[in-house]
Amino acid sequence: MKTLKMSALAVAIVAASGLSQAQAAVEANIGVTSNYLWRGVTQSMNDPSISGGVDYSHESGFYAGTWIGTIDWGAGGATENDYYLGYSGESGDFGYDVGYIYYNYPATGYEDSDFGEVYFNGSYMGFGFGVAYTVNSQVADGSLFDTGDIYYNVSYGWDLPNEFALGVTYGYYDFDLGSDSDYGHYQLDLSKGDFTLTVSKADDESGDDDTKFVVSWGTSF
């Protein structure tokens, strides 16, 4: 029901805004990775994952979309289905993006894992920063990913010779459950064209603290 309400809300906003198709764009994306990492922790048991999505964007800054990726938390193969909408724009060298994302896990064995976040991301020159706050959740009360969790991240990116790009990210998960579960993670991304090489390391508290080397490919059309 929450997923249906999200889709209905996106349609209602577009209709109410009177947005013309001439001002809008729809873009699809596909990708494959040797290990699906999310906030420093594998979502695929360190195995490969494939993904795809569709995004709607308008020149006003409004956007909405959906993304599906394969996951495995040890209960067998499944999918993560994300639904999101938001608003982004720029003011001089400052960029901003505010929105809502709903993480849906429909497969048997993954019930009562859905949750939703509101988020804000900003950028200035090569710097990036963001925060996400869990506002609704189907997990058991007092568990990780219940309401009240906060995720912070900061990053910096460089353009390198020969069309390479380098990005460095630090993220920190502050769980409402208590500080014993909080963890931080570091990530280094070297990309060229549609390919990215990632090196990632999370703190011991994450339960997944091995240094990971990941190769990913993704494109949009």
Side-chain angles (χ1 to χ4, degrees):
M1 286 300 298
K2 292 180 180 178
T3 297
L4 293 176
K5 289 178 181 178
M6 279 287 295
S7 299
L9 178 60
V11 172
I13 291 175
V14 174
S17 302
L19 306 181
S20 68
Q21 291 301 315
Q23 297 173 305
V26 176
E27 186 174 78
N29 62 82
I30 56 173
V32 61
T33 179
S34 61
N35 187 357
Y36 171 24
L37 298 181
W38 185 73
R39 297 175 179 173
V41 176
T42 181
Q43 304 297 299
S44 57
M45 297 291 289
N46 295 309
D47 288 330
S49 171
I50 59 175
S51 63
V54 178
D55 294 295
Y56 169 93
S57 61
H58 187 266
E59 65 177 17
S60 65
F62 170 80
Y63 64 87
T66 182
W67 179 91
I68 300 176
T70 58
I71 62 170
D72 187 349
W73 296 346
T79 63
E80 172 190 321
N81 302 354
D82 300 343
Y83 306 91
Y84 47 88
L85 54 82
Y87 184 86
S88 64
E90 297 179 349
S91 178
D93 292 328
F94 177 73
Y96 56 89
D97 176 14
V98 60
Y100 172 85
I101 182 169
Y102 184 74
Y103 301 91
N104 171 240
Y105 304 94
T108 301
Y110 293 79
E111 298 93 342
D112 300 323
S113 298
D114 296 4
F115 65 100
E117 297 177 332
V118 292
Y119 57 84
F120 174 81
N121 296 306
S123 63
Y124 181 78
M125 308 296 283
F127 290 97
F129 51 92
V131 59
Y133 181 81
T134 305
V135 292
N136 60 291
S137 177
Q138 292 185 355
V139 306
D141 291 343
S143 301
L144 297 181
F145 309 106
D146 195 2
T147 56
D149 295 345
I150 307 175
Y151 176 75
Y152 308 91
N153 69 88
V154 292
S155 62
Y156 190 79
W158 297 266
D159 290 327
L160 302 178
N162 300 316
E163 299 182 347
F164 281 91
L166 180 65
V168 179
T169 301
Y170 175 74
Y172 187 80
Y173 226 136
D174 182 2
F175 290 102
D176 189 57
L177 178 63
S179 59
D180 289 344
S181 303
D182 299 347
Y183 74 92
H185 70 96
Y186 304 86
Q187 185 165 308
L188 180 71
D189 296 296
L190 179 65
S191 61
K192 181 175 182 179
D194 295 335
F195 292 89
T196 302
L197 171 64
T198 297
V199 182
S200 178
K201 178 73 168 66
D203 295 344
D204 293 345
E205 290 81 359
S206 70
D208 186 21
D209 59 340
D210 293 336
T211 300
K212 296 178 172 57
F213 299 87
V214 179
V215 178
S216 304
W217 172 87
T219 191
S220 57
F221 51 93

